[in-house]
Amino acid sequence: MRPENQSSVSEFLLLGIPIQPEQQSIFFALFLGMYLTTVLGNLLIILLIRLDSRLHTPMYFFLSHLALTDIAFSSVSVPKLLMTMLTKCKSISYEGCVSQTYFFILFADLDSFLITSMAYDRYVAICHPLHYTTIMSQTICILLVAGSWVIASACSLLHTLLLARLSFCADNIIPHFFCDLAALLKLSCSDTSINQLAIFTAGLAAIMVPFLCILVSYGRIGATILRVPSTKGICKALSTCGSHLSVVALYYGAIIGLYFLPSSNNTNEKNIVSALMYTVVTPMLNPFIYSLRNKDMKGALRKLLSKKLCSSN
């Protein structure tokens, strides 16, 4: 608990999405449908990987953890957004806001590290196929996931502890649909220079470094394919990496466009749209990307459906 004299603000007001009152019901139904699709689609991925022994490989091990993280990431902000739109109650307690910030950063960073682990897995599979089972052993996969959790937890804990030491004097209106860290720092009446430094350093560690690792991995993959140019090899590489590349483009495209490419028209509406992209849209699209573009996942789905049909007959 924070000291009582640290801040006169006991709650914040989330302004939500800037839409007209008559459009509230339409957007509520839209976001509810997207959230349910996210949860059910990612749960289906986890179920298929769990039930089909052919999917018990490192790539699908990482994918199952990514699907679970996407559910949690979307659940940090979307249910509160839906509740605000339904009840018109925009308030969130100080403790609830800090907690939301912690889990938002945790799962955002975890997403980044898991996507990077998947890129490394594809690099080993294509560039070192003969040593794949040795390099990507079960122990290494578990260590990569555990390391992702540890680093993501450390980054989010750092931001949360630095946030908890700040004072909020009068203004408690957050022009966003969740407790965005940058928006909270603007409201603080304390010196936020240490927080800004932490955002820069942790952002490099959790976003830019993994992104550069992904670029290096796919650069090596491309070089390997070009050394042995064949239609079969290119098709195999595309089928193996296409889904993952689509997820990388969606996830990092929204984040880099928002945080690393500032422009003169970087308005609050643009920030909200970009945040919706990587908190609502990307987690929803991931199941479709991996299901529709992956023959193993489609095969596992057909196998599950055929079993259900046979048991019902």
Side-chain angles (χ1 to χ4, degrees):
M1 292 291 290
R2 61 195 175 96
E4 288 299 323
N5 60 356
Q6 181 180 347
S7 172
S8 61
V9 172
S10 60
E11 66 177 17
F12 294 96
L13 296 179
L14 297 171
L15 292 187
I17 301 173
I19 55 178
Q20 298 298 322
E22 61 270 15
Q23 298 176 325
Q24 288 280 348
S25 58
I26 298 175
F27 278 92
F28 175 82
L30 175 63
F31 289 127
L32 177 61
M34 294 173 74
Y35 178 66
L36 291 176
T37 302
T38 298
V39 173
L40 295 176
N42 283 289
L43 282 177
L44 179 61
I45 284 182
I46 297 171
L47 179 65
L48 292 176
I49 294 173
R50 177 79 175 176
L51 295 179
D52 197 324
S53 59
R54 295 173 301 176
L55 301 182
H56 293 174
T57 63
M59 182 177 73
Y60 295 107
F61 174 75
F62 293 130
L63 178 58
S64 63
H65 283 273
L66 180 65
L68 183 61
T69 302
D70 280 339
I71 294 174
F73 186 36
S74 188
S75 298
V76 170
S77 57
V78 179
K80 176 59 180 175
L81 170 63
L82 293 173
M83 187 62 65
T84 300
M85 297 176 72
L86 185 64
T87 64
K88 306 297 187 296
C89 178
K90 299 181 179 182
S91 65
I92 181 172
S93 67
Y94 174 91
E95 292 77 10
C97 195
V98 173
S99 299
Q100 190 182 56
T101 302
Y102 171 82
F103 286 110
F104 184 87
I105 297 172
L106 169 65
F107 293 119
D109 290 350
L110 188 57
D111 246 359
S112 180
F113 293 129
L114 288 174
I115 292 173
T116 306
S117 299
M118 295 174 73
Y120 176 68
D121 172 76
R122 294 301 84 205
Y123 158 72
V124 176
I126 293 176
C127 299
H128 304 283
L130 299 180
H131 303 285
Y132 177 75
T133 54
T134 303
I135 298 174
M136 298 303 298
S137 63
Q138 184 179 18
T139 303
I140 293 297
C141 293
I142 293 174
L143 286 175
L144 285 172
V145 172
S148 299
W149 271 98
V150 170
I151 300 173
S153 299
C155 289
S156 58
L157 184 61
L158 170 66
H159 288 301
T160 306
L161 292 177
L162 291 175
L163 177 64
R165 57 180 281 276
L166 299 179
S167 296
F168 297 88
C169 301
D171 191 3
N172 68 338
I173 298 175
I174 302 176
H176 220 305
F177 65 91
F178 69 98
C179 291
D180 181 52
L181 180 59
L184 286 170
L185 295 185
K186 290 180 181 179
L187 295 181
S188 176
C189 50
S190 303
D191 180 16
T192 61
S193 57
I194 298 178
N195 300 75
Q196 299 290 350
L197 179 62
I199 289 175
F200 178 76
T201 54
L204 286 177
I207 302 297
M208 292 311 297
V209 171
F211 182 61
L212 290 175
C213 290
I214 292 172
L215 292 181
V216 170
S217 297
Y218 277 103
R220 300 289 292 273
I221 289 173
T224 300
I225 295 172
L226 291 176
R227 278 200 297 267
V228 189
S230 67
T231 304
K232 183 178 179 181
I234 293 174
C235 290
K236 181 181 178 181
L238 288 176
S239 64
T240 306
C241 306
S243 301
H244 183 253
L245 276 173
S246 301
V247 172
V248 169
L250 281 171
Y251 181 79
Y252 285 101
I255 291 180
I256 292 174
L258 176 60
Y259 294 109
F260 296 95
L261 295 177
S263 61
S264 58
N265 62 343
N266 192 19
T267 61
N268 185 60
E269 287 75 13
K270 176 189 172 184
N271 294 344
I272 291 176
V273 170
S274 298
L276 286 171
M277 276 296 298
Y278 66 84
T279 60
V280 182
V281 179
T282 300
M284 180 193 70
L285 291 179
N286 284 355
F288 293 100
I289 292 172
Y290 281 106
S291 299
L292 297 177
R293 301 190 61 177
N294 190 302
K295 63 179 183 180
D296 294 331
M297 291 295 295
K298 288 189 286 187
L301 181 59
R302 283 194 295 266
K303 183 178 177 182
L304 178 64
L305 292 176
S306 63
K307 281 185 177 180
K308 292 294 184 183
L309 290 175
C310 291
S311 61
S312 61
N313 295 331

